[in-house]
Amino acid sequence: TVTTTYTLTANDGLPNGCETTASVTVTVNTGPTVSIDPAPFDSLCSGASFNINATAGSSSFKTVGTGTNSINNTIAIYDGFNPNVKTQVLYTAAELNAAGLIGPGNITSASFNVVNKLSTTPLVGFTMRMGSVASAPPLTTTYLTPVFTTVFAGNVSTVLGWNQHVFTTPFFWDGTSNVVLEVCNGTPGIPGFDQVQCTPTADARTITANLLGCAALTGATNLNRPNTRFTGGNVLYSWAPAGELSASNIEDPTYTAT
């Protein structure tokens, strides 16, 4: 019922024999939330109608990227050596849909998976911004400049494994646009670079830093993209029975008595 990492240990059975281990993490998602307002009438006449008001939301994790590359030091999401390092990551609407993220709706958090943690102090002034873009991959060395929403700002102390950043201001995604996520790492303390798990991409979907600060206009394209886990988005609706409803696949259908 909870996310668990399972470890298998294999031993050849010999005295002073050899041993090796492997592990897998099983992520358990919580189901969508749903509620329906009570009907406004105890009974009504044939032909009368009213709107059924429902509220639903998705709280499960949607992951973009399944690669296990963890040796790439150029993905500086949690750069603990250099201050004010900017990284931009592009996600297409098709990729978000394939991960289970449905729009329109609010994206409420983003997570990155630290697989080699070398930092020992917080990143002070860590910020994340998101924006909708028409740009499609491949990216160039010029950072994208959409209308951004600052979704997170604060001090961040990383942990080994997934680091979830719950947005103080959710990002409204229209469900059709591509999305860019921008990270500025802030100011590190004692030097220590945290490596995040990445997936190789056929074309450039990440712009990494050129160490000119978070106001820099250009960076360097990268063919690795950090695995990213989102929460939020909309849900698919299916009312049953569907008779006498205006539609069975929308949040608030109209009921008409017949």
Side-chain angles (χ1 to χ4, degrees):
T1 58
V2 297
T3 297
T4 304
T5 298
Y6 294 91
T7 301
L8 172 66
T9 300
N11 188 294
D12 60 14
L14 298 174
N16 301 315
C18 298
E19 186 175 279
T20 189
T21 62
S23 63
V24 61
T25 299
V26 178
T27 300
V28 179
N29 285 323
T30 56
T33 59
V34 61
S35 63
I36 304 174
D37 290 348
F41 310 107
D42 292 332
S43 61
L44 68 166
C45 297
S46 179
S49 63
F50 67 91
N51 287 333
I52 302 176
N53 296 316
T55 303
S58 175
S59 55
S60 61
F61 292 114
K62 293 90 174 176
T63 304
V64 179
T66 58
T68 57
N69 179 7
S70 61
I71 61 173
N72 194 316
N73 282 330
T74 61
I75 304 298
I77 297 291
Y78 301 122
D79 188 339
F81 281 99
N82 303 290
N84 300 316
V85 174
K86 180 163 69 173
T87 303
Q88 282 191 353
V89 187
L90 179 69
Y91 311 89
T92 67
E95 288 175 321
L96 296 175
N97 288 160
L101 196 62
I102 302 167
N106 286 326
I107 298 176
T108 55
S109 77
S111 310
F112 303 103
N113 189 15
V114 171
V115 290
N116 188 16
K117 177 175 168 57
L118 301 176
S119 67
T120 56
T121 56
L123 294 168
V124 177
F126 183 93
T127 60
M128 304 174 73
R129 304 195 300 170
M130 295 187 74
S132 296
V133 294
S135 304
L139 296 175
T140 69
T141 57
T142 301
Y143 284 114
L144 301 177
T145 56
V147 176
F148 276 112
T149 299
T150 299
V151 295
F152 179 89
N155 300 339
V156 168
S157 295
T158 61
V159 297
L160 195 63
W162 285 100
N163 290 256
Q164 183 180 18
H165 306 286
V166 177
F167 296 163
T168 51
T169 301
F171 173 71
F172 180 77
W173 177 48
D174 60 17
T176 58
S177 298
N178 298 335
V179 172
V180 61
L181 172 61
E182 179 181 287
V183 175
C184 182
N185 73 320
T187 304
I190 300 173
F193 192 105
D194 293 343
Q195 294 175 325
V196 296
Q197 201 164 51
C198 300
T199 298
T201 53
D203 44 32
R205 304 189 182 208
T206 305
I207 306 177
T208 55
N210 56 12
L211 305 184
L212 295 179
C214 287
L217 301 179
T218 60
T221 56
N222 197 297
L223 292 179
N224 282 282
R225 180 173 57 182
N227 296 351
T228 313
R229 200 161 71 173
F230 294 103
T231 58
N234 215 325
V235 299
L236 298 176
Y237 300 95
S238 179
W239 290 89
E244 302 176 310
L245 299 181
S246 58
S248 62
N249 61 347
I250 62 175
E251 184 176 47
D252 300 323
T254 298
Y255 169 84
T256 301
T258 57

